[in-house]
């Protein structure tokens, strides 16, 4: 079950990044099997990191997301800390590595 907030416009995505200290943007497409396989794993992982706020962007519905974030493949997973991109993963995501990166970013953020 998808619990990510669904973006309806590029403005909403930009506003989301600006309003959340740790903003996670999950960019996918309707016909992407990998996107649908990776998303529940990421969703489950994010339960451990409540300070990271997620939003999902369907690149079919909001095509300008690809040019805005220089995305060439989906899924693309972007984490922003204070509006700066700090993590970028795409296509084939190694979950253990992503978990370590989330842990590192949240620890650094919380220990400031």
């Amino acid at each position: 079950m998808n619990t990510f907030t669904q973006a309806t416009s590029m403005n909403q995505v930009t506003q989301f990044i600006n309003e959340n200290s740790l903003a996670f943007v999950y960019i996918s497409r309707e016909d992407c099997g990998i996107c649908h396989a990776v998303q529940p794993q990421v969703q489950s992982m994010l339960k451990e990191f409540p300070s990271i706020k997620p939003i999902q962007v369907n690149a079919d519905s909001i095509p300008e997301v690809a040019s805005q974030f220089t995305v060439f493949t989906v899924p693309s997973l972007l984490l922003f800390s204070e509006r700066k991109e700090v993590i970028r993963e795409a296509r084939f995501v190694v979950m253990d590595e992503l978990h370590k990166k989330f842990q590192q970013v949240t620890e650094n953020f919380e220990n400031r």
Side-chain angles (χ1 to χ4, degrees):
M1 185 172 98
N2 183 359
T3 58
F4 289 163
T5 300
Q6 300 297 302
T8 56
S9 70
M10 196 59 229
N11 285 342
Q12 183 185 9
V13 176
T14 303
Q15 184 177 355
F16 181 83
I17 293 168
N18 289 337
E19 290 176 353
N20 291 284
S21 299
L22 292 174
F24 176 74
V25 180
Y26 187 85
I27 303 169
S28 61
R29 290 187 177 275
E30 285 296 321
D31 63 351
C32 170
I34 295 170
C35 298
H36 297 295
V38 167
Q39 195 230 352
Q41 296 175 62
V42 174
Q43 208 169 271
S44 178
M45 186 186 305
L46 284 175
K47 290 177 184 171
E48 291 181 49
F49 304 101
S51 58
I52 299 175
K53 306 302 179 198
I55 193 167
Q56 184 169 4
V57 185
N58 181 334
D60 294 322
S61 303
I62 308 171
E64 63 266 32
V65 73
S67 61
Q68 182 75 28
F69 295 118
T70 318
V71 167
F72 298 105
T73 188
V74 288
S76 286
L77 293 66
L78 311 176
L79 181 64
F80 295 85
S81 177
E82 301 291 337
R83 296 180 293 283
K84 291 182 184 171
E85 184 181 315
V86 293
I87 295 176
R88 176 180 287 248
E89 295 289 331
R91 196 73 178 151
F92 300 106
V93 179
V94 179
M95 289 300 152
D96 289 343
E97 291 299 315
L98 183 62
H99 186 275
K100 287 177 190 171
K101 290 177 181 180
F102 280 171
Q103 201 163 22
Q104 192 174 32
V105 169
T106 56
E107 285 173 5
N108 288 340
F109 184 79
E110 291 164 1
N111 293 330
R112 296 184 299 156

